[in-house]
């Protein structure tokens, strides 16, 4: 009878099966609905009645043996597969983790914060004015009427008639003096906009405005505070120098130079051999500006200064092009980590 043959064949095929899926296919070829053993059982009908019980017994025994055979194989296949999966999914707990990348403050933010720290230490308060301004606050109240040639000093982006993107944080001086009576010690950081574009100028940059109004304020107070600023920002031996200049809203007006920190004032390529670097504009608040804000110039005097934050950062960190501040190249930005 073919029963033994079937058994042997099944054993060989089960042995050859590579995994539980293949093994299942083999099993179905024997014990499935259209499998060989099922076919044998069906063929019973064709067998004479006297031989039927013996035949049935044999086939049933075969089926049982096959079931035992397959379940033994199935178990081994499962074990093998589990072992393989565990090996594949093994986690190396000794492997160093991936470091989370820590961000850094933008150099403009760093310098801005540092400036606030320096001047807050001298009693200044921070006041922020709007970026969209009226001509009145940006120019007229700052003693720069429409026909004043100084309006050409700054190429202005107009939004509509009389409305513009502020060209200077000086606009904040007026807004603050309208609100607050002296004594005033204000620091006003913010974005300003000018139609200007080269290695040291960009259409948007940041300024830090300072304003002090009180009784008996003089240019000496200004220089004393700026000396302190230069020593903290650049080097403990930094000095400042005032040169005459012109701004419509200050009288007298000055350009403030800081001794070159790169050469200590001896003269080098950075300071173009002069030993000094221009860092900001300043002056005594023009009495017309005080009057425009309802402050009596007979009683009060004040000084104001305005500096470009990018310019300070470029000098402090030796940055060659203003574009670097807005390119957002992490290789550049990463250098300003603590
Ligand atoms: N607002 C001037 C500028 O943008 C700088 C300045 C501020 C000068 C305050 C004097 C006083 O150039």
């Amino acid at each position: 009878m073919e029963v033994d043959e079937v058994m042997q064949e099944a054993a060989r095929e089960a042995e050859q099966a590579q995994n539980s899926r293949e093994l299942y296919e083999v099993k179905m070829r024997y014990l499935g609905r259209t499998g060989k053993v099922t076919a044998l059982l069906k063929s019973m009908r064709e067998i004479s009645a006297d031989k039927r019980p013996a035949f049935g017994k044999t086939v049933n025994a075969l089926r049982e043996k096959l079931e035992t055979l397959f379940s033994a194989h199935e178990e081994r296949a499962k074990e093998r597969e589990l072992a393989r999966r565990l090996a594949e999914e093994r986690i190396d707990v000794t492997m160093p983790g991936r470091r989370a990348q820590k961000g850094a403050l933008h150099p403009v933010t760093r310098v801005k914060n540092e400036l606030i720290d320096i001047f807050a230490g001298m009693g200044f308060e921070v006041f922020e004015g709007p970026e969209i301004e009226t001509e009145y606050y940006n120019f007229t109240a700052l003693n720069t009427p429409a026909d004043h040639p100084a309006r050409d000093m700054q190429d202005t982006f107009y939004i509509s008639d009389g409305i513009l993107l502020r060209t200077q944080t000086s606009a904040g001086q007026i807004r603050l003096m309208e609100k607050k009576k002296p004594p005033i010690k204000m620091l006003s950081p913010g974005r300003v906009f000018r139609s200007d574009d080269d290695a040291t100028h960009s259409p948007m940059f940041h300024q830090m405005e300072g304003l002090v109004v009180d009784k008996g304020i003089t240019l000496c107070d200004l220089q004393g505070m700026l000396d302190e600023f230069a020593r903290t920002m650049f080097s403990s031996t930094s000095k400042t120098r005032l040169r005459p200049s012109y701004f419509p809203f200050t009288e007298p007006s000055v350009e403030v130079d800081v001794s070159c920190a790169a050469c200590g004032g001896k003269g080098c390529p950075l300071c173009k051999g002069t030993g000094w670097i221009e860092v900001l504009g300043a002056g005594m608040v023009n009495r017309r500006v005080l009057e425009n804000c309802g402050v009596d110039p007979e009683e009060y005097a004040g000084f104001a200064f305005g500096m470009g934050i990018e310019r300070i950062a470029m000098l402090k960190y030796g940055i060659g092009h203003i574009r670097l501040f807005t390119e957002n190249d992490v290789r550049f930005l990463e250098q300003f980590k603590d």
Side-chain angles (χ1 to χ4, degrees):
M1 136 125 208
E2 46 185 325
V3 166
D4 286 340
E5 262 167 55
V6 173
M7 187 64 207
Q8 267 166 27
E9 206 180 281
R12 201 172 52 242
E13 282 182 36
E15 196 65 56
Q16 277 163 5
Q18 297 291 315
N19 51 45
S20 7
R21 203 174 47 80
E22 281 182 30
L23 193 64
Y24 177 78
E25 280 162 15
V26 176
K27 182 176 168 183
M28 286 302 111
R29 280 208 291 279
Y30 291 89
L31 302 173
R33 230 162 18 89
T34 55
K36 289 181 182 166
V37 176
T38 319
L40 280 174
L41 284 168
K42 278 184 189 154
S43 71
M44 269 214 313
R45 263 174 273 140
E46 289 140 38
I47 285 169
S48 56
D50 56 326
K51 289 193 182 141
R52 219 175 271 162
F55 181 81
K57 231 170 135 184
T58 318
V59 176
N60 272 329
L62 171 66
R63 205 187 57 207
E64 269 164 37
K65 272 200 201 147
L66 283 175
E67 266 161 8
T68 321
L69 172 84
F70 284 123
S71 50
H73 275 285
E74 269 161 16
E75 205 164 305
R76 257 178 289 150
K78 276 203 190 107
E79 270 165 23
R80 269 201 316 271
E81 277 155 24
L82 179 67
R84 193 181 326 127
R85 229 182 51 221
L86 288 177
E88 274 169 11
E89 292 175 3
R90 197 170 148 252
I91 293 169
D92 181 357
V93 290
T94 65
M95 211 160 85
R98 252 179 240 141
R99 249 172 217 293
Q101 260 217 338
K102 219 173 112 192
L105 286 181
H106 192 281
V108 168
T109 308
R110 285 185 76 109
V111 169
K112 178 181 114 176
N113 290 348
E114 206 173 321
L115 285 167
I116 291 175
D117 278 352
I118 293 170
F119 286 101
M122 295 187 245
F124 282 68
E125 279 174 310
V126 173
F127 168 84
E128 285 185 49
E131 290 172 2
I132 296 173
E133 264 298 4
T134 64
E135 250 176 355
Y136 176 76
Y137 286 101
N138 195 81
F139 289 125
T140 316
L142 286 164
N143 195 34
T144 321
D147 56 355
H148 199 290
R151 282 216 187 177
D152 295 341
M153 284 164 78
Q154 302 166 0
D155 262 318
T156 311
F157 291 117
Y158 277 86
I159 292 174
S160 61
D161 208 21
I163 308 287
L164 44 79
L165 293 178
R166 67 174 172 199
T167 60
Q168 49 189 356
T169 44
S170 302
Q173 291 185 26
I174 309 299
R175 288 195 177 268
L176 188 82
M177 282 192 281
E178 278 181 355
K179 272 206 210 77
K180 189 175 162 13
K181 296 293 138 216
I184 287 171
K185 257 179 161 180
M186 168 204 82
L187 202 59
S188 190
R191 270 190 274 264
V192 298
F193 308 84
R194 292 180 198 182
S195 178
D196 213 351
D197 204 358
D198 62 33
T200 52
H201 297 85
S202 81
M204 183 284 292
F205 64 102
H206 298 76
Q207 280 189 333
M208 181 66 83
E209 190 85 8
L211 174 71
V212 172
V213 183
D214 204 350
K215 289 179 181 153
I217 295 292
T218 71
L219 216 48
C220 287
D221 298 310
L222 169 70
Q223 191 164 20
M225 287 190 186
L226 292 179
D227 272 334
E228 174 66 18
F229 144 74
R231 282 193 294 266
T232 318
M233 182 61 77
F234 298 109
S235 128
S236 56
T237 55
S238 287
K239 285 193 287 285
T240 63
R241 167 177 96 166
L242 308 186
R243 274 183 298 112
S245 184
Y246 175 78
F247 298 102
F249 36 88
T250 47
E251 182 58 36
S253 300
V254 292
E255 214 64 75
V256 181
D257 297 341
V258 172
S259 55
C260 180
C263 63
K266 284 193 280 294
C268 70
L270 184 68
C271 57
K272 301 189 185 85
T274 64
W276 295 96
I277 291 181
E278 186 189 315
V279 292
L280 58 99
M284 296 305 291
V285 180
N286 191 312
R287 52 187 296 137
R288 292 213 190 144
V289 174
L290 294 176
E291 278 163 4
N292 288 342
C293 303
V295 177
D296 181 3
E298 297 304 324
E299 196 182 352
Y300 292 104
F303 69 72
F305 62 83
M307 59 181 101
I309 301 184
E310 280 84 351
R311 175 155 179 80
I312 305 289
M314 287 171 88
L315 293 171
K316 187 176 167 79
Y317 299 118
I319 297 165
H321 204 295
I322 199 163
R323 196 179 50 217
L324 289 161
F325 290 115
T326 42
E327 276 180 336
N328 277 342
D329 185 332
V330 268
R331 291 168 305 176
F332 169 72
L333 296 171
E334 267 182 342
Q335 301 175 64
F336 302 94
K337 280 185 186 171
D338 285 312

